[in-house]
């Protein structure tokens, strides 16, 4: 769950990433790209994270709880 929601295409937010069962996962800068506006041409949401690999892995774990999530690292 993203605390501030996913931004609209071409917008950015800073938000909290939380586990579905509750609990803080981390903070992220979140950017949304509409179809045709990303490098791949697909609609994409990017997460810009700070911190250690542990924070990154925790946020990825949180995102994996979402239907349709696909990580490209």
């Amino acid at each position: 769950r993203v605390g501030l929601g996913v931004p609209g295409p071409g917008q950015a937010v800073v938000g909290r990433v939380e586990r579905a069962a509750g609990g803080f996962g981390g903070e992220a800068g979140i950017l949304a790209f509409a179809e045709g506006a990303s490098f791949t041409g697909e609609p994409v949401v990017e997460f810009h994270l700070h911190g250690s690999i542990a924070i990154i892995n925790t946020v990825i774990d949180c995102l994996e709880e979402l239907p349709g999530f696909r990580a490209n690292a």
Side-chain angles (χ1 to χ4, degrees), residues 31-49:
L31 303 166
F33 297 90
E35 184 175 351
S38 71
F39 179 78
T40 63
E42 297 176 286
V44 172
V45 176
E46 289 184 0
F47 287 77
H48 295 257
L49 306 171

Side-chain angles (χ1 to χ4, degrees), residues 11-30:
Q11 297 181 334
V13 297
V14 175
R16 289 172 55 99
V17 179
E18 299 174 354
R19 297 183 178 281
F24 179 64
E27 289 186 336
I30 305 165

Side-chain angles (χ1 to χ4, degrees), residues 40 44-47 49 53 56-57 60 64 69-73:
T40 63
V44 172
V45 176
E46 289 184 0
F47 287 77
L49 306 171
I53 194 71
I56 294 167
N57 287 336
I60 290 173
E64 286 176 337
F69 172 74
R70 183 180 77 195
N72 289 330

